[in-house]
Amino acid sequence: MTTAALPRSIAAYWVHLADAAAHVDRVLAALPLPTRRTAQQRAEAAAAHDAARRLRARFLDAYADQVYDEITGGRTRYLRLDELAEAAANAFPGLVPTAAHLAVERSRAQADKEGYEIDQGIFLRAILRSAPSGRHLMTAMLRPTDRALRLLPEFRRTGLLVTEAVRLERRDGVARLTLCRQDCLNAEDEQQVDDMETAVDLALLDPAVRIGLVRGGEMSHPRYQGRRVFSAGINLKSISAGRISLTGFLLRRELGYLHKLARGLADDELDRWLPPVQKPWVAAVDTFAIGGGCQLLMVFDHVLAAADAYLSLPAAQEGIVPGAANLRLARIGGARLARQVILGGRRIEATEPAAGLLVDEVVPSGEMDAAVEAALARLAGDAVVANRRMINVAEESVDDLRAYLAEFALEQALRIHAPDVLAKTGRFAERPA
């Protein structure tokens, strides 16, 4: 099939796309796993994928809003990323991978995946590029998760949530969120993203919470045993094992709990004339904030760092895009610093002047506990929430973030399946713990 002359009607156009997707399935079914293919077989698979993806992108350029309206009931249903992609697969066969495609992908290591998430990236880029559809999707992602709503009554009663990756404790009006992946230095995977979003939702939903604190717990990792660590960034072993997905981690993280930290919760059941539910957040960085840990700091209202801590964004060296850090660090620190840190891998020590662009206080490591409590007390004023909301409105518009994440959706999907990333994460996975 060629893309030279495409029909104008959405129905006929969709038939062409469905045919191309079916052709991809037939081609791939006749081939061995990606790591066992010859150069000719890899070229054959790539040609089939490319033809379908060109059609898919052109279809969505023309009909993204119609597709979104169809699967959300004219924007009356709020579907999260994974729900939206699944609904699109059911309503428009061939537009995005089916649940069956994704189930097979999840069973494989990253190097043996077919890259169906690239097709999801094409779809989600088109939706986010559209102002009406993209804004609606972003609102859907700002709603409390079903898991948080189920856990809310118990959390309000006990003030405690303990999950695999985080511990959330309400004490004296403070939601104290501790990252507790002790063995992997709080390196993020899909479980941690899910647990973090749940915890952030609970802190925002609980009226007894007035402010949130995020800090790394003490580690059992041999190299840092007994020390607090903020975060080692994305879990590269999870990437290699094929357990980092676009809708469950890479894009969910940005549109989910990071966006909620910045903008709070949106819910159609709340009074529409009121601003979203927001609260101030403090971060305390011990030892290091690498990659995703450093990205987190850019959405907090106050950041403390121990004097012996450092910050870095090594995503370019890893071969991926560091979330929304390209947008935010360029705004916060300027284009030159953003290029040095993101492109060149510059590491920023907490005590050097450049750290002042990302950190509010640098504290001797033995004085962190007292400094954290003092910072929490300073953000207890009645007008803090209103003013932090207005700062966030002035600093980063929803449409700026939407436009950035539209391109990120596809760019990151392409990078996570790129040969250099597969080679790098594969080597990392072979290292001993």
Side-chain angles (χ1 to χ4, degrees):
M1 177 184 300
T2 68
T3 60
L6 293 169
R8 293 185 179 181
S9 77
I10 186 170
Y13 205 148
W14 173 29
V15 169
H16 280 252
L17 177 54
D19 285 347
H23 176 66
V24 172
D25 288 344
R26 289 192 297 272
V27 169
L28 298 181
L31 298 176
L33 289 174
T35 53
R36 300 176 188 172
R37 289 174 190 165
T38 65
Q40 182 177 346
Q41 289 171 330
R42 289 195 296 271
E44 185 181 357
H49 273 307
D50 288 348
R53 285 167 182 163
R54 284 194 294 271
L55 277 169
R56 200 169 276 122
R58 292 178 66 180
F59 176 82
L60 287 164
D61 282 346
Y63 301 116
D65 283 333
Q66 291 93 321
V67 168
Y68 190 81
D69 285 350
E70 175 67 23
I71 59 183
T72 61
R75 295 179 224 148
T76 61
R77 299 171 60 208
Y78 290 90
L79 301 179
R80 290 176 63 83
L81 291 166
D82 54 345
E83 296 169 331
L84 183 69
E86 183 176 358
N90 293 333
F92 296 89
L95 184 59
V96 289
T98 65
H101 286 126
L102 296 174
V104 172
E105 291 280 85
R106 281 193 296 270
S107 71
R108 297 178 177 179
Q110 192 72 11
D112 270 327
K113 293 188 177 187
E114 297 291 354
Y116 284 116
E117 286 175 320
I118 296 170
D119 304 298
Q120 288 185 324
I122 293 169
F123 169 66
L124 293 168
R125 178 184 64 169
I127 299 303
L128 287 167
R129 277 180 166 180
S130 161
S133 297
R135 289 172 186 164
H136 189 271
L137 174 56
M138 293 180 77
T139 298
M141 291 300 294
L142 285 177
R143 289 161 58 100
T145 63
D146 290 341
R147 182 187 183 200
L149 293 173
R150 288 196 305 270
L151 293 171
L152 181 60
E154 179 70 7
F155 180 74
R156 291 189 63 180
R157 185 179 69 82
T158 65
L160 182 65
L161 170 76
V162 179
T163 70
E164 182 178 338
V166 306
R167 174 187 173 92
L168 180 67
E169 181 180 7
R170 183 189 66 234
R171 191 167 73 247
D172 300 325
V174 179
R176 300 170 187 270
L177 200 170
T178 304
L179 309 174
C180 54
R181 276 288 176 80
Q182 300 178 3
D183 59 328
C184 63
L185 306 178
N186 291 324
E188 280 192 294
D189 57 13
E190 294 202 5
Q191 183 64 57
Q192 184 151 331
V193 167
D194 189 40
D195 289 351
M196 282 293 289
E197 185 166 9
T198 300
V200 169
D201 281 352
L202 291 174
L204 291 168
L205 287 166
D206 185 355
V209 170
R210 57 178 175 76
I211 189 170
L213 166 70
V214 177
R215 191 176 185 185
E218 294 184 0
M219 298 291 104
S220 61
H221 188 286
R223 188 173 176 184
Y224 296 93
Q225 191 163 14
R227 292 179 60 184
R228 285 184 181 268
V229 166
F230 191 71
S231 174
I234 194 169
N235 191 315
L236 298 177
K237 288 189 177 183
S238 292
I239 295 178
S240 180
R243 296 195 296 267
I244 297 293
S245 68
L246 181 66
T247 60
F249 183 105
L250 298 168
L251 199 52
R252 174 188 175 177
R253 184 177 182 274
E254 304 303 324
L255 284 169
Y257 85 85
L258 264 75
H259 199 201
K260 288 175 176 178
L261 286 169
R263 282 196 168 81
L265 295 176
D267 192 329
D268 62 329
E269 294 179 0
L270 301 175
D271 290 323
R272 288 181 178 272
W273 67 272
L274 288 171
V277 176
Q278 294 194 25
K279 291 170 186 177
W281 289 89
V282 172
V285 178
D286 299 275
T287 309
F288 51 68
I290 298 172
C294 186
Q295 295 167 34
L296 263 175
L297 306 184
M298 301 177 203
V299 297
F300 280 88
D301 301 294
H302 192 86
V303 178
L304 304 95
D308 58 354
Y310 69 87
L311 319 173
S312 68
L313 285 167
Q317 286 69 48
E318 294 163 355
I320 57 177
V321 180
N326 305 59
L327 172 71
R328 291 172 174 146
L329 184 58
R331 185 192 68 233
I332 293 168
R336 293 268 58 86
L337 181 65
R339 283 175 167 80
Q340 291 166 19
V341 172
I342 296 172
L343 304 184
R346 174 180 169 182
R347 171 171 143 172
I348 299 177
E349 304 294 335
T351 52
E352 67 177 280
L357 297 167
L358 292 167
V359 172
D360 299 285
E361 291 182 71
V362 179
V363 182
S365 57
E367 300 175 16
M368 280 287 282
D369 291 349
V372 165
E373 297 307 315
L376 292 168
R378 285 197 298 274
L379 293 181
D382 292 338
V384 167
V385 171
N387 281 287
R388 62 98 64 180
R389 176 175 180 269
M390 298 313 297
I391 289 172
N392 285 339
V393 168
E395 194 173 43
E396 178 185 280
S397 74
V398 171
D399 281 335
D400 284 345
L401 182 62
R402 175 183 59 78
Y404 175 89
L405 291 178
E407 304 314 309
F408 171 81
L410 179 56
E411 197 70 59
Q412 190 75 307
L414 289 166
R415 291 308 308 156
I416 206 75
H417 293 284
D420 62 301
V421 173
L422 300 179
K424 290 170 184 175
T425 57
R427 288 195 298 271
F428 186 91
E430 293 166 2
R431 296 179 189 172

